[in-house]
């Protein structure tokens, strides 16, 4: 078993990050995720409970696929709770397809930064367990490394979604169109021209990283 | 983002658009009445359940709680400790 943890601060208020978290996919950083579906969703005592099925294409090292096979699409179960009064968003994900040999359990917690309400703290934990496979500790290391890399991509993805949301809000302000219909249309439109914005945002992130020398994850 | 069932894609997009607006404009502002997108969610969910069945994804396994329950994988006890 390997446990991996990480903390990250987003320079955006909690509401922005929570909104972006629902729209994290698709993004140009985690192209492995190919589908998200709501299985169940309800509000209980002011808390939004959601259960989603996340479909992704995994690429394991070739030697690893030789040991456990390489399913083309993997499914994971993601359960989340959003409490707007305490400003907590927690997402717990565990994989389904690999359950026979490999268990990957991941928890993401978004809360307002304790000292700066304009920032959001992300606490992330992943537990990787491989059983019944030769070289299981190597497998666990390989997967934990992969999680580490993917977590960095996940943060970039969130920034990308947030910048997309902000530009949508700006567009709406500029056009001074306030009707719900227009908001819906704008949102639909943003799904459609994702590719052009993806390139722009990716360049922005690259520039940001090089100018502020943010370390590579 | 697509659905696992290509037949559900349009229903999903329609529902997601409604949900994103509801979440930011209503839920986060203290209004937890979720009837706004409920009809869309109902139709979309039915479509997803059907698609999962076709792909033999076990709905029961998806619905099972793992973390924080006895189903969570525990650290195996090691000999000699």
């Amino acid at each position: 078993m390997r446990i991996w943890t990480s903390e990250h601060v987003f320079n955006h208020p909690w509401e922005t990050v929570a909104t972006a978290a629902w729209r994290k996919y698709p993004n140009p950083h985690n192209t492995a995720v190919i589908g998200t579906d709501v299985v169940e969703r309800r509000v209980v005592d002011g808390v939004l409970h959601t259960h989603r099925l996340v479909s992704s294409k995994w690429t394991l090292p070739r030697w690893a696929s030789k040991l456990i096979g390489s399913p083309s699409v993997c499914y994971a179960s993601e359960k989340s709770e959003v409490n707007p009064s305490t400003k907590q968003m927690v997402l717990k994900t565990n994989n389904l397809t690999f359950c026979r040999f490999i268990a990957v359990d991941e928890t993401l917690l978004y809360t307002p930064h304790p000292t700066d309400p304009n920032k959001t703290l992300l606490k992330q934990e992943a537990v990787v367990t491989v059983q019944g496979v030769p070289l299981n500790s190597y497998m666990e290391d390989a997967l934990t490394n992969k999680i580490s890399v993917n977590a960095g991509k996940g943060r970039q993805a969130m920034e990308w979604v947030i910048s997309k949301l902000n530009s949508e809000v700006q567009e709406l302000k500029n056009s001074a169109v306030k009707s719900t219909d227009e908001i819906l249309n704008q949102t639909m439109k943003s799904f459609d021209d994702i590719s052009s914005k993806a390139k722009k945002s990716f360049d922005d992130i690259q520039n940001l990283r090089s100018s502020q020398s943010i370390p590579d994850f | 983002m697509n659905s696992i069932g290509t037949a559900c894609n349009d229903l999903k997009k329609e529902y997601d658009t409604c949900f994103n607006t509801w979440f930011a404009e209503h839920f986060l502002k203290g209004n937890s009445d979720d009837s706004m997108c409920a009809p869309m969610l109902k139709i979309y969910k039915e479509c997803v359940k059907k698609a999962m069945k076709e792909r033999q994804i076990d709905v029961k396994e998806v619905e099972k709680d793992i973390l924080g329950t006895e189903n969570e994988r525990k650290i195996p006890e090691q000999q000699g400790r």
Side-chain angles (χ1 to χ4, degrees), chain B residues 13 21 33 37-39 41 47 60-61 65 72-73 79:
Chain B
K13 274 182 188 160
T21 306
D33 178 1
C37 312
L41 176 61
C47 188
K60 281 201 186 106
E61 193 187 2
D65 271 313
E72 183 176 338
R73 310 232 169 177
Q79 287 182 336

Side-chain angles (χ1 to χ4, degrees), chain A residues 11 159 204-216:
Chain A
N11 288 321
E159 293 290 356
D204 289 349
I205 288 168
Q206 296 288 49
N207 293 339
L208 191 72
R209 285 177 58 194
S210 53
S211 63
Q212 302 188 347
S213 68
I214 297 169
D216 261 319

Side-chain angles (χ1 to χ4, degrees), chain A residues 163-183:
Chain A
S163 77
K164 199 158 70 74
L165 287 177
N166 287 342
S167 71
E168 272 173 30
V169 170
Q170 200 56 47
E171 272 173 37
L172 285 174
K173 274 184 191 157
N174 291 345
S175 60
V177 178
K178 298 280 192 285
S179 80
T180 311
D181 276 350
E182 278 299 320
I183 294 170

Side-chain angles (χ1 to χ4, degrees), chain A residues 32-35 53-60 69-77 95-98, chain B residues 4 57:
Chain A
V33 174
I34 53 166
L53 181 73
V54 180
S55 318
S56 57
K57 272 191 179 162
W58 278 44
T59 46
L60 289 171
S70 53
S72 53
V73 179
C74 301
Y75 299 103
S77 161
N95 66 310
L96 295 172
T97 324
F98 281 147
Chain B
I4 53 160
I57 302 166

Side-chain angles (χ1 to χ4, degrees), chain B residues 75-81:
Chain B
I75 305 166
E77 280 183 30
Q78 302 210 341
Q79 287 182 336
R81 285 193 188 177

Side-chain angles (χ1 to χ4, degrees), chain A residues 193-206:
Chain A
D193 54 34
I194 247 156
S195 52
S196 59
K197 283 189 183 171
K199 203 192 164 299
K200 188 185 161 292
S201 304
F202 188 69
D203 290 340
D204 289 349
I205 288 168
Q206 296 288 49

Side-chain angles (χ1 to χ4, degrees), chain A residues 38-122:
Chain A
V38 176
V39 179
E40 195 54 70
R41 176 174 270 159
R42 57 167 59 100
V43 179
V44 182
D45 298 329
V47 177
L48 177 68
H49 296 255
T50 306
H51 186 190
R52 294 200 301 182
L53 181 73
V54 180
S55 318
S56 57
K57 272 191 179 162
W58 278 44
T59 46
L60 289 171
R62 195 185 296 172
W63 57 267
S65 347
K66 277 191 175 162
L67 287 170
I68 60 163
S70 53
S72 53
V73 179
C74 301
Y75 299 103
S77 161
E78 175 205 84
K79 291 194 173 179
S80 60
E81 289 182 19
V82 184
N83 188 332
S85 47
T86 60
K87 297 195 178 184
Q88 283 221 340
M89 179 177 197
V90 58
L91 301 104
K92 294 183 176 188
T93 310
N94 64 287
N95 66 310
L96 295 172
T97 324
F98 281 147
C99 273
R100 208 171 141 207
F101 299 123
I102 300 178
V104 181
D105 296 306
E106 188 191 36
T107 305
L108 296 173
L109 173 66
Y110 295 102
T111 52
H113 192 277
T115 56
D116 187 345
N118 290 319
K119 292 180 180 176
T120 302
L121 186 64
L122 164 65

Side-chain angles (χ1 to χ4, degrees), chain A residues 119-132:
Chain A
K119 292 180 180 176
T120 302
L121 186 64
L122 164 65
K123 285 185 185 171
Q124 194 170 3
E125 183 187 276
V127 180
V128 177
T129 317
V130 177
Q131 280 168 344

